[in-house]
């Protein structure tokens, strides 16, 4: 009994083509969905792993909107910042124009030479003051931080930029691909075609506001406060003090001036959750679909295999009576399932690649990495064998005496 | 005969509870998944203004940089500059037209009990209200004369009228924005637009704004920019006016053109306008203007999210697996009944009768699966609502069309699944199985 009974199994399968075909097709389509779903899930999970650079667990922001003719925005902003920074429990705070990973912000294009026909690099712009690095949890890896004296006021709709900037390492690398980032400090870059700005420092990491943007790691800090009635403050607290600080500061700031509204008090954790919500939803939905699909397909295989066993009880009994061991019966059914699975998996590989190509064509999905296919093949062989094991064991229990009855 | 077959089918389903529930479950899951995703796609892509969607056009002009398109491959920006929006409005070449913008401002009611609050603003022209069939509870919109004379008038949404005036008819009363008294000319009734098609440049599934004021107050009150502001070059000079005169886009414009001839004429006008601007040294790119009707614009702006479509196609494949599963299970089930069938055939039942009976049994599984699937689809929609948060909640309900689709789909699927097994069953020759009993 050392050789496998592939010949008889194939001939038996040909007599029951439809049943085998159904299992094979079902495995093929299941594999197509699951391999593509796992791929999409892995991609999305990798996106969600990216870090903004901020101390997200201990950072929140709020907006102060003044109204009425007597509202002095510059005075209010300066006094607010002093108050917030001197509140025990606050590490540091800045006025900022946009919140990283929140979805809304400013961007500009930068060039290394003046002129509008030069290759440009897009960046997110954050308008902050000399307290930016501690508030943003940014690690300065080259150059100098901003000083209080270089922070200027930007009037409403004032279009020009300060002379200095701190940029992220990723932005330095994109602007000067041939120069090590340490040496880009002191170089001049041009913002909006022809306005020169000198790189004062490099920080290790800070993300842009748009998580779907290809230049997510490009950010530029400018030393300025904005003269605006609607000011946004980004506040970093001591670990564990976030909730108390949110409540305290909202109340204190609201009470301080009657002609303003404090609104949108939001944590960075909530912002991340909202920005990445559609990715996390996709992951959860696809995972559920995968589980259900595997269960349905496995139950289908079990159902059909049991039916095959029942139908062949007499044949099995006859084989047992003629001397086949239990192991031989089990091997027969497992091998039969393996042949069917393999045909299904072969078709599944083609369909998987086909669906992936369709998704690339119609939606922004990346091509599948090659190793997903061998992994899928192995997993589906195992699923097929596990589903067939129960019925095969049942078949092995058919007593040889069955052969002698009803003939 | 029908009730007899039905009784046989029920009996047969009860005989194999494991197989029957497995089949029902498979169909229910397939239907549930397909209906959940189909509903989301159907509602996301629904026509928000069916009787007029072919007469309303979104205007795009290409004022962008000579070196790169506003959007790849060669699309114009999705919004207009202040200059172009106001000049197209002054020309008034369409039957109805409204440029618009979004903003926000603090509203003071004059009533000391009501704290000032920040409201979302839409800046638009008088035509906006009749053009988009805005429903009024009290009063009306304002007039074109109010637009041109910059009369401070305001239309309130229902929630804001409730908040400021306790839901009373507030026409003729005043609210203060940026130290200016605005007279209420009308109050909107509940206005739910899914998607909020008149401005989809940010999130297409937001609710309509809190209040509406004439467009030119953007300039008068120097209101902040809502939505996205994109510039291909920095404004020349400083201040608010420099921004308005710049190549920065932040404004949308819709026109109503009742006939194809009107559309043609308006499109020619846009091209002539672009030529005129070229003569003034603007519009460095080749002429590339667009007029998109409502559904074209929704398509262009990808209002139906890619993820929703991917999920829908995966759900249909899921349904296919469930279908294959059911075919296999029915086949096994029916083949245990060969002796039964042979006996019935031998005593006179026709092939057709056998076929009908077994198809009916499959359809019964389908109806049960479909009903159960509808429950699952509702659970699925609740799940999607909780996963995606509020912004999609308007979408996530099953309506009558979707329920009918679900039932029809499940019956179709089960009949499709049952026809091969039923055909196999009715081709059992009479008496073939009788001999070894």
């Amino acid at each position: 009994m050392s050789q496998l009974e592939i010949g008889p199994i194939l001939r038996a399968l040909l007599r029951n083509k439809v049943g085998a075909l159904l299992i094979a097709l079902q495995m093929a389509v299941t594999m197509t969905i699951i391999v593509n779903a796992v791929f999409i899930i892995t991609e999305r999970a990798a996106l969600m792993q990216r870090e903004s650079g901020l101390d997200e667990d201990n950072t929140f922001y709020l907006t102060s909107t003044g109204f009425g003719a007597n509202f002095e925005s510059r005075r209010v902003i300066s006094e607010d910042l002093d108050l917030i920074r001197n509140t025990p429990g606050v590490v540091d705070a800045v006025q900022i124009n946009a919140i990283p990973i929140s979805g809304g912000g400013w961007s500009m294009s930068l060039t290394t030479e003046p002129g509008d026909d030069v290759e440009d690099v897009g960046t997110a712009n954050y308008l902050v003051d000399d307290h930016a690095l501690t508030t943003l949890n940014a690690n300065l890896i080259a150059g100098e931080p901003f000083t209080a004296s270089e922070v200027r006021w930007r009037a409403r709709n004032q279009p020009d930029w300060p002379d200095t900037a701190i940029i992220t390492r990723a932005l330095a690398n994109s602007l000067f691909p041939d120069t090590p980032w340490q040496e880009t400090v002191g170089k001049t870059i041009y913002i909006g075609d022809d306005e020169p700005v000198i790189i004062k420092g490099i920080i290790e990491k800070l993300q842009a506001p748009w998580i779907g943007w290809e230049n997510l790691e490009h950010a530029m800090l400018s030393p300025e406060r904005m003269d605006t009635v609607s000011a946004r403050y980004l506040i970093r607290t001591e670990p564990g003090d976030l909730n108390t600080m949110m409540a305290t500061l909202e109340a204190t700031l609201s009470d301080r001036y009657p002609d303003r509204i404090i609104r949108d008090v939001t944590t960075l954790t909530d912002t991340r959750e909202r920005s990445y919500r559609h990715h996390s939803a996709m992951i959860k939905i696809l995972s559920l679909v995968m589980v259900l699909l595997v269960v349905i397909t496995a139950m289908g295989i079990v159902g059909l295999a049991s039916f095959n066993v029942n139908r062949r009880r007499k044949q099995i009994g006859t084989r047992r009576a003629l001397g086949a061991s239990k192991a031989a019966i089990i091997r027969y059914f497992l091998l039969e399932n393996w042949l069917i699975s393999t045909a299904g998996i072969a078709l599944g590989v083609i369909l998987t690649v086909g669906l992936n190509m369709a998704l690339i064509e119609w939606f922004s999905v990346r091509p599948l990495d090659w190793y997903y296919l061998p992994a899928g093949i192995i997993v589906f062989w195992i699923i097929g064998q596990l589903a067939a094991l129960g019925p095969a064991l049942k078949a092995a229990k058919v007593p040889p005496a069955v052969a002698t009855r009803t003939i | 005969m029908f009730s007899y077959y039905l009784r046989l089918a029920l009996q047969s389903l009860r005989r194999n509870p494991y197989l029957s529930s497995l089949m029902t479950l498979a169909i229910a899951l397939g239907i549930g998944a397909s209906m959940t995703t189909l509903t989301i796609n159907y509602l996301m892509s629904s026509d928000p203004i069916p009787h007029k969607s072919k007469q309303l056009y979104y205007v795009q002009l290409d004022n962008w940089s000579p070196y790169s398109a506003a959007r790849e491959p060669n699309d114009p920006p999705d919004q207009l500059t202040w200059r172009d929006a106001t000049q197209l409005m002054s020309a008034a070449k369409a039957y109805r037209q409204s440029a618009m913008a979004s903003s926000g401002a603090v509203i003071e009611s004059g009533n000391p009990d009501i704290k000032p609050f920040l409201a979302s603003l839409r800046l638009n022209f008088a035509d906006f209200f009749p053009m988009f069939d805005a429903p009024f509870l009290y009063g009306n919109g304002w007039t074109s004369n109010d637009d041109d004379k910059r009369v401070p008038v305001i239309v309130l949404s229902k929630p804001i009228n409730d908040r400021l005036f306790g839901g009373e008819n507030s026409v003729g009363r005043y609210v203060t924005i940026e130290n200016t008294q605005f007279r209420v000319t009308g109050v909107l009734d509940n206005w739910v637009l899914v998607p909020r098609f008149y401005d989809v440049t940010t999130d297409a599934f937001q609710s309509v704004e809190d209040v509406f004021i004439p467009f030119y107050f953007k300039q008068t009150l120097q209101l902040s920019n809502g939505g996205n502001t994109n510039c291909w070059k920095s404004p020349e000079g400083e201040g608010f006016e420099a921004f308005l005169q710049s190549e920065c886009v932040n404004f949308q414009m819709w026109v109503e053109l009742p006939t194809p001839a009107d559309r043609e004429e308006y499109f020619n006008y846009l091209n002539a306008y672009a030529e005129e601007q070229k003569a003034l040294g603007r519009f460095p790119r080749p002429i590339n203007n667009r007029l998109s009707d409502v559904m074209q614009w929704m398509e262009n702006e990808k209002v139906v999210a890619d993820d929703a479509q991917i999920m829908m196609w995966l759900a249909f494949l899921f349904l296919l697996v469930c279908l294959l599963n059911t075919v296999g299970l029915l086949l096994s089930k029916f083949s245990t009944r060969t002796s039964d069938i042979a006996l019935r055939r031998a005593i006179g039942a026709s092939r057709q009768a056998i076929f009908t009976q077994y198809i009916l049994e499959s359809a019964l599984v389908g109806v049960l699966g479909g009903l159960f699937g509808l429950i699952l689809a509702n659970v699925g929609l609740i799940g999607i609502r909780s996963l995606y948060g509020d912004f999609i909640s308007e979408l996530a309900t099953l309506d009558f069309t979707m329920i009918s689709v679900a039932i029809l789909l499940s019956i179709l699927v089960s009949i499709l699944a049952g026809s091969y097994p039923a055909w196999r069953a009715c081709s059992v020759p009479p008496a073939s199985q009788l001999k070894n009993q």
Side-chain angles (χ1 to χ4, degrees), chain B residues 36-327:
Chain B
T36 308
T37 55
L38 195 64
T39 306
I40 296 292
N41 278 272
Y42 160 77
L43 290 168
M44 275 185 156
S45 61
S46 64
D47 188 340
I49 182 161
H51 56 289
K52 257 180 142 174
S53 63
K54 289 263 182 287
Q55 293 165 29
L56 297 174
Y57 293 91
Y58 190 81
V59 179
Q60 282 173 283
L61 296 174
D62 200 343
N63 67 319
W64 221 244
S65 148
Y67 304 103
S68 61
R71 296 205 218 172
E72 295 301 330
N74 184 27
D75 280 1
D78 60 349
Q79 301 182 101
L80 300 178
T81 62
W82 171 267
R83 265 169 91 170
D84 295 323
T86 49
Q87 287 178 30
L88 293 183
M89 283 308 300
S90 314
K93 295 284 181 191
Y95 169 59
R96 280 179 182 141
Q97 51 236 309
S98 178
M100 55 181 150
S102 62
S103 186
V106 173
I107 293 196
E108 298 165 78
S109 67
N111 177 346
D113 294 340
I114 298 165
K115 272 175 102 181
F117 61 94
L118 192 94
S120 58
L121 280 184
R122 179 139 301 263
L123 294 140
N124 55 273
F125 283 85
D127 279 354
F128 175 89
F129 302 105
M131 196 151 83
F132 298 130
D133 291 343
F136 277 90
L137 186 62
Y138 304 119
N140 310 93
W142 56 81
T143 66
S144 296
N145 192 38
D146 295 336
D147 277 328
D148 298 337
K149 298 266 163 54
R150 305 198 180 194
V151 181
V153 282
I154 190 167
V155 167
L156 306 179
S157 66
K158 190 162 183 292
I160 293 300
N161 188 55
D162 291 347
R163 182 165 178 175
L164 289 175
F165 300 108
E168 288 170 29
N169 184 350
S170 58
V171 172
R173 296 171 72 171
Y174 288 87
V175 296
T176 307
I177 297 175
E178 299 276 338
N179 308 313
T180 309
Q181 297 251 306
F182 282 80
R183 181 173 49 84
V184 177
T185 64
V187 175
L188 293 179
D189 205 344
N190 285 324
W191 194 19
V192 179
L193 286 176
V194 180
R196 193 196 66 185
F197 68 99
Y198 62 69
D199 184 5
V200 293
T201 55
T202 51
D203 176 5
F205 298 97
Q206 302 175 76
S207 47
V208 301
E209 280 81 1
D210 293 332
V211 300
F212 300 77
I213 62 173
F215 186 74
Y216 289 123
F217 280 96
K218 168 90 185 171
Q219 190 174 33
T220 319
L221 302 179
Q222 304 206 345
L223 293 170
S224 60
N225 297 343
N228 297 320
T229 309
N230 294 308
C231 316
W232 64 271
K233 62 177 183 186
S234 303
E236 290 162 17
E238 297 191 2
F240 197 76
E241 203 50 37
F243 166 75
L244 291 185
Q245 296 311 317
S246 71
E247 295 294 343
C248 297
V249 297
N250 180 238
F251 306 93
Q252 308 92 42
M253 181 161 177
W254 287 90
V255 291
E256 182 171 345
L257 304 166
T259 68
D262 293 338
R263 184 194 180 280
E264 173 96 35
E265 201 175 311
Y266 196 80
F267 194 66
N268 291 337
Y269 160 70
L270 285 183
N271 289 340
Y273 174 81
E275 288 291 357
E276 229 171 77
Q277 296 302 310
K278 273 180 177 296
L280 294 171
R282 295 180 65 218
F283 287 60
R285 300 179 67 75
I287 287 193
N288 185 17
N289 304 322
R290 304 277 167 88
L291 271 181
S292 321
D293 71 27
V294 175
M295 294 319 280
Q296 284 166 343
W297 184 238
M298 298 300 109
E299 171 100 353
N300 195 52
E301 293 296 281
K302 287 192 167 283
V303 164
V304 183
D306 275 1
D307 279 4
Q309 291 187 48
I310 293 178
M311 279 191 255
M312 185 176 73
W313 292 113
L314 291 184
F316 285 146
L317 284 178
F318 186 113
L319 182 63
L320 177 66
V321 172
C322 297
L323 178 79
L324 291 171
N325 196 49
T326 311
V327 178

Side-chain angles (χ1 to χ4, degrees), chain A residues 314 318 402-407, chain B residues 436:
Chain A
K314 227 156 33 181
T318 312
V402 168
T404 59
R405 293 180 205 144
T406 71
I407 289 184
Chain B
N436 55 11

Side-chain angles (χ1 to χ4, degrees), chain A residues 18 22 25-26 29-30 33 40 44 65-69 108 116-117 156-160 192 261 263 277-278 281-282 284-286 289 292-293 296-297 299-300 303-304 307 355 359 363-365, chain B residues 22 25-26 29 67 106 108 116-118 179 222-224 234-235 237-240 243 306-307 309-311 313-314 317-318 320-322 324-325 327-329 331-332 335 384 387-389 420 424:
Chain A
V18 179
L22 284 171
L25 275 178
Q26 206 175 326
V29 181
T30 306
I33 301 177
I40 294 175
R44 300 295 171 96
T65 303
F67 55 90
M108 290 294 293
D116 55 10
D117 49 356
R156 198 170 186 193
N157 292 295
Q158 181 181 345
D160 64 322
I261 297 166
R263 60 190 175 91
R277 183 180 276 162
H278 61 287
M282 190 80 167
K284 286 178 191 150
I285 292 171
L286 290 182
V289 166
L292 291 176
L293 205 52
I296 293 244
T297 304
M299 288 198 306
L304 275 179
F307 158 69
L355 178 65
L359 291 177
F363 310 107
S364 47
V365 170
Chain B
L22 189 57
L25 185 71
L29 283 173
Y67 304 103
V106 173
E108 298 165 78
F117 61 94
L118 192 94
N179 308 313
Q222 304 206 345
L223 293 170
S224 60
S234 303
E238 297 191 2
F240 197 76
F243 166 75
D306 275 1
D307 279 4
Q309 291 187 48
I310 293 178
M311 279 191 255
W313 292 113
L314 291 184
L317 284 178
F318 186 113
L320 177 66
V321 172
C322 297
L324 291 171
N325 196 49
V327 178
L329 295 177
L331 212 53
S332 338
S335 61
I384 284 198
L387 284 179
Y388 281 92
Y420 176 74
R424 276 274 289 258

Side-chain angles (χ1 to χ4, degrees), chain A residues 94-172:
Chain A
V94 282
Q95 185 200 8
I96 197 165
N97 61 318
I99 304 297
I101 69 170
S102 68
W106 294 14
S107 82
M108 290 294 293
S109 45
L110 303 177
T111 53
T112 50
E113 304 196 5
D116 55 10
D117 49 356
V118 195
E119 185 80 17
D120 60 354
V121 176
T123 181
N125 297 81
Y126 294 115
L127 278 46
V128 289
D129 62 18
D130 51 312
H131 291 256
L133 299 187
T134 31
T135 315
L136 295 169
N137 187 31
N139 185 13
L140 190 76
I141 50 178
E144 302 281 323
F146 294 136
T147 58
S149 59
E150 67 183 318
V151 176
R152 67 163 199 182
W153 281 102
R154 178 190 278 249
R156 198 170 186 193
N157 292 295
Q158 181 181 345
D160 64 322
W161 291 84
D163 301 332
T164 53
I166 292 177
I167 64 174
T168 57
R169 181 166 60 193
L171 179 56

Side-chain angles (χ1 to χ4, degrees), chain A residues 8-17 20 312 336 339-340:
Chain A
I9 293 177
L10 275 179
R11 282 191 289 278
L13 278 179
L14 283 178
R15 293 177 60 89
N16 180 20
K17 286 190 283 286
R312 293 192 214 155
E336 181 190 70
L339 285 174
I340 298 172

